[in-house]
Coordinates of all heavy atoms in Angstrom, one line a residue:
Y17 N -45.0 123.9 -5.6 CA -43.8 123.1 -5.3 C -44.4 121.6 -4.8 O -43.8 120.6 -5.2 CB -42.8 123.7 -4.2 CG -41.6 123.1 -4.1 CD1 -40.5 123.4 -4.7 CD2 -41.5 122.0 -3.2 CE1 -39.3 122.9 -4.5 CE2 -40.2 121.4 -3.0 CZ -39.1 121.8 -3.8 OH -37.8 121.2 -3.6
L18 N -45.2 121.6 -3.8 CA -45.8 120.4 -3.3 C -46.6 119.6 -4.3 O -46.2 118.4 -4.6 CB -46.5 120.6 -2.1 CG -45.8 120.9 -0.8 CD1 -46.7 121.5 0.3 CD2 -45.2 119.8 -0.2
L21 N -45.0 117.6 -7.1 CA -44.4 116.3 -6.9 C -45.5 115.3 -6.4 O -45.5 114.2 -6.9 CB -43.3 116.4 -5.8 CG -42.8 115.1 -5.3 CD1 -42.2 114.2 -6.5 CD2 -41.5 115.3 -4.3
L22 N -46.3 115.8 -5.6 CA -47.4 114.9 -4.9 C -48.4 114.3 -6.0 O -48.6 113.1 -6.0 CB -48.2 115.6 -3.9 CG -47.4 115.9 -2.6 CD1 -48.2 116.8 -1.7 CD2 -46.9 114.7 -1.9
L25 N -46.6 111.6 -8.3 CA -46.3 110.6 -7.5 C -47.6 109.6 -7.2 O -47.5 108.4 -7.4 CB -45.7 111.0 -6.1 CG -44.9 109.9 -5.4 CD1 -43.7 109.4 -6.1 CD2 -44.5 110.4 -4.1
F59 N -53.4 106.0 1.4 CA -52.0 106.3 1.7 C -51.5 107.6 1.0 O -50.8 108.4 1.6 CB -51.2 105.1 1.3 CG -49.7 105.4 1.6 CD1 -49.2 105.3 2.9 CD2 -49.0 105.8 0.6 CE1 -47.8 105.6 3.1 CE2 -47.5 106.0 0.8 CZ -47.1 105.9 2.0
Y63 N -50.3 110.8 2.8 CA -49.0 111.3 2.5 C -48.9 112.8 2.1 O -48.2 113.5 2.5 CB -48.2 110.4 1.6 CG -46.8 110.7 1.2 CD1 -45.8 110.4 1.9 CD2 -46.7 111.4 0.0 CE1 -44.5 110.7 1.7 CE2 -45.3 111.8 -0.4 CZ -44.3 111.5 0.4 OH -43.0 111.8 0.0
L66 N -49.7 115.0 5.1 CA -48.8 115.0 6.0 C -47.7 116.1 5.7 O -47.4 117.0 6.5 CB -47.9 113.6 6.0 CG -46.6 113.7 6.8 CD1 -46.8 113.8 8.3 CD2 -45.9 112.3 6.5
W67 N -47.3 116.2 4.3 CA -46.3 117.2 3.9 C -47.0 118.5 3.8 O -46.2 119.5 4.1 CB -45.6 116.7 2.6 CG -44.7 115.5 2.9 CD1 -45.1 114.3 2.4 CD2 -43.5 115.5 3.7 NE1 -44.1 113.5 2.9 CE2 -43.3 114.1 3.6 CE3 -42.8 116.4 4.3 CZ2 -42.0 113.7 4.3 CZ3 -41.7 115.9 5.0 CH2 -41.3 114.6 4.9
I68 N -48.2 118.7 3.5 CA -48.9 119.9 3.5 C -48.9 120.6 4.9 O -48.5 121.7 5.1 CB -50.3 119.9 2.9 CG1 -50.2 119.5 1.4 CG2 -51.0 121.1 3.2 CD1 -51.5 119.2 0.8
L70 N -46.7 119.8 7.4 CA -45.5 120.1 7.9 C -44.9 121.3 7.2 O -44.2 122.2 7.9 CB -44.6 118.9 7.6 CG -44.8 117.6 8.5 CD1 -44.0 116.4 7.9 CD2 -44.6 118.0 9.9
F71 N -45.2 121.4 5.9 CA -44.7 122.7 5.3 C -45.4 124.0 6.0 O -44.9 125.1 6.0 CB -45.0 122.7 3.8 CG -43.9 122.2 2.9 CD1 -43.5 120.9 3.1 CD2 -43.3 122.9 2.0 CE1 -42.4 120.4 2.4 CE2 -42.3 122.5 1.2 CZ -41.8 121.0 1.4
F74 N -43.7 124.4 9.6 CA -42.2 124.8 9.5 C -42.1 125.7 8.3 O -42.0 125.2 7.2 CB -41.4 123.6 9.5 CG -41.6 122.7 10.8 CD1 -42.3 121.5 10.7 CD2 -41.0 123.0 12.0 CE1 -42.4 120.7 11.8 CE2 -41.1 122.2 13.1 CZ -41.9 121.1 12.9
G77 N -36.3 128.9 7.8 CA -35.0 128.5 8.6 C -34.7 127.1 8.4 O -35.1 126.3 7.4
L78 N -33.8 126.7 9.4 CA -33.4 125.2 9.3 C -34.4 124.2 9.4 O -34.4 123.2 8.6 CB -32.3 125.1 10.5 CG -31.8 123.6 10.6 CD1 -30.9 123.3 9.4 CD2 -30.9 123.5 11.9
P79 N -35.5 124.3 10.2 CA -36.4 123.5 10.2 C -37.2 123.2 8.8 O -37.5 122.1 8.4 CB -37.5 123.9 11.2 CG -36.7 124.8 12.1 CD -35.7 125.4 11.3
R80 N -37.5 124.2 8.1 CA -38.0 124.1 6.7 C -37.0 123.5 5.8 O -37.4 122.6 5.1 CB -38.3 125.6 6.1 CG -38.6 125.5 4.7 CD -39.7 124.5 4.2 NE -41.0 125.0 4.7 CZ -41.7 125.8 3.8 NH1 -41.5 126.1 2.7 NH2 -43.0 126.1 4.3
R81 N -35.7 123.7 6.0 CA -34.8 123.0 5.1 C -34.7 121.6 5.4 O -34.6 120.7 4.4 CB -33.3 123.6 5.2 CG -33.2 125.0 4.6 CD -31.8 125.4 4.4 NE -31.1 125.7 5.7 CZ -31.3 126.9 6.2 NH1 -31.9 127.9 5.7 NH2 -30.6 127.1 7.4
V82 N -34.8 121.1 6.7 CA -34.8 119.7 7.0 C -36.0 119.1 6.5 O -36.0 118.0 5.9 CB -34.7 119.6 8.5 CG1 -35.0 118.1 9.0 CG2 -33.4 120.1 9.1
I83 N -37.2 119.7 6.6 CA -38.4 119.3 6.1 C -38.4 118.9 4.6 O -38.8 118.0 4.1 CB -39.5 120.1 6.4 CG1 -39.8 120.0 8.0 CG2 -40.8 119.7 5.7 CD1 -40.2 118.6 8.5
M84 N -37.7 119.9 3.8 CA -37.6 119.9 2.3 C -36.8 118.5 2.0 O -37.1 117.8 1.1 CB -36.9 121.1 1.8 CG -37.8 122.4 2.0 SD -38.7 122.8 0.5 CE -37.4 123.0 -0.7
V85 N -35.7 118.4 2.6 CA -34.8 117.2 2.5 C -35.7 116.0 2.7 O -35.6 115.0 1.9 CB -33.5 117.3 3.4 CG1 -32.8 116.0 3.1 CG2 -32.7 118.4 2.9
L86 N -36.2 115.8 3.7 CA -37.0 114.7 4.1 C -38.2 114.5 3.1 O -38.5 113.3 2.8 CB -37.6 114.7 5.6 CG -36.6 114.7 6.7 CD1 -37.3 115.0 8.1 CD2 -35.8 113.4 6.7
F87 N -38.8 115.5 2.7 CA -39.8 115.4 1.6 C -39.3 114.6 0.4 O -39.9 113.7 -0.1 CB -40.3 116.7 1.3 CG -41.3 116.8 0.3 CD1 -42.5 116.1 0.2 CD2 -41.2 117.6 -0.9 CE1 -43.4 116.1 -0.7 CE2 -42.1 117.8 -1.8 CZ -43.2 116.9 -1.9
H88 N -38.1 115.2 0.0 CA -37.6 114.6 -1.3 C -37.1 113.0 -1.0 O -37.2 112.3 -1.9 CB -36.5 115.5 -1.8 CG -37.0 116.7 -2.5 ND1 -37.5 116.6 -3.7 CD2 -37.2 118.0 -2.0 CE1 -37.9 117.9 -4.2 NE2 -37.8 118.7 -3.0
V89 N -36.4 112.8 0.0 CA -35.9 111.6 0.4 C -37.0 110.6 0.4 O -37.0 109.4 -0.1 CB -35.0 111.5 1.6 CG1 -34.8 110.1 2.2 CG2 -33.8 112.4 1.5
S90 N -38.2 110.9 1.1 CA -39.2 110.0 1.3 C -39.9 109.7 -0.1 O -40.4 108.7 -0.3 CB -40.2 110.5 2.2 OG -40.9 111.6 1.8
A91 N -40.0 110.7 -0.9 CA -40.6 110.5 -2.3 C -39.8 109.6 -3.1 O -40.2 108.9 -3.8 CB -40.7 111.9 -3.0
V92 N -38.4 109.6 -3.0 CA -37.5 108.9 -3.8 C -37.8 107.4 -3.3 O -37.9 106.5 -4.1 CB -36.1 109.2 -3.5 CG1 -35.1 108.1 -4.0 CG2 -35.8 110.5 -4.2
L93 N -37.8 107.2 -2.0 CA -38.0 105.8 -1.5 C -39.4 105.3 -1.8 O -39.4 104.2 -2.2 CB -38.1 105.9 0.1 CG -36.7 106.0 0.7 CD1 -36.8 106.2 2.2 CD2 -35.9 104.8 0.4
I94 N -40.4 106.1 -2.0 CA -41.7 105.8 -2.4 C -41.6 105.3 -3.9 O -42.2 104.2 -4.3 CB -42.8 106.8 -2.1 CG1 -43.1 106.9 -0.7 CG2 -44.1 106.5 -2.9 CD1 -44.0 107.9 -0.3
A95 N -41.0 106.1 -4.6 CA -40.9 105.7 -6.1 C -40.1 104.5 -6.4 O -40.5 103.7 -7.2 CB -40.2 106.9 -6.9
V150 N -38.3 113.6 -9.1 CA -38.6 113.7 -7.7 C -37.6 114.6 -7.0 O -38.0 115.4 -6.2 CB -38.5 112.4 -7.0 CG1 -38.5 112.5 -5.4 CG2 -39.9 111.5 -7.3
L151 N -36.4 114.5 -7.5 CA -35.3 115.3 -6.8 C -35.3 116.9 -7.3 O -35.1 117.8 -6.4 CB -34.0 114.7 -7.1 CG -33.5 113.4 -6.4 CD1 -32.3 112.8 -6.8 CD2 -33.6 113.6 -4.9
P154 N -39.9 119.6 -8.9 CA -40.7 120.6 -8.3 C -40.0 121.9 -8.2 O -40.6 123.0 -8.5 CB -40.9 120.0 -6.8 CG -40.8 118.6 -7.1 CD -39.7 118.4 -8.0

Side-chain angles (χ1 to χ4, degrees):
Y17 191 92
L18 281 167
L21 177 52
L22 292 171
L25 198 63
F59 175 77
Y63 178 79
L66 169 69
W67 292 109
I68 291 170
L70 291 175
F71 269 61
F74 303 101
L78 180 61
R80 166 56 73 94
R81 288 194 290 272
V82 171
I83 291 300
M84 295 265 298
V85 170
L86 293 176
F87 175 53
H88 286 278
V89 169
S90 68
V92 168
L93 286 175
I94 287 175
V150 167
L151 293 175

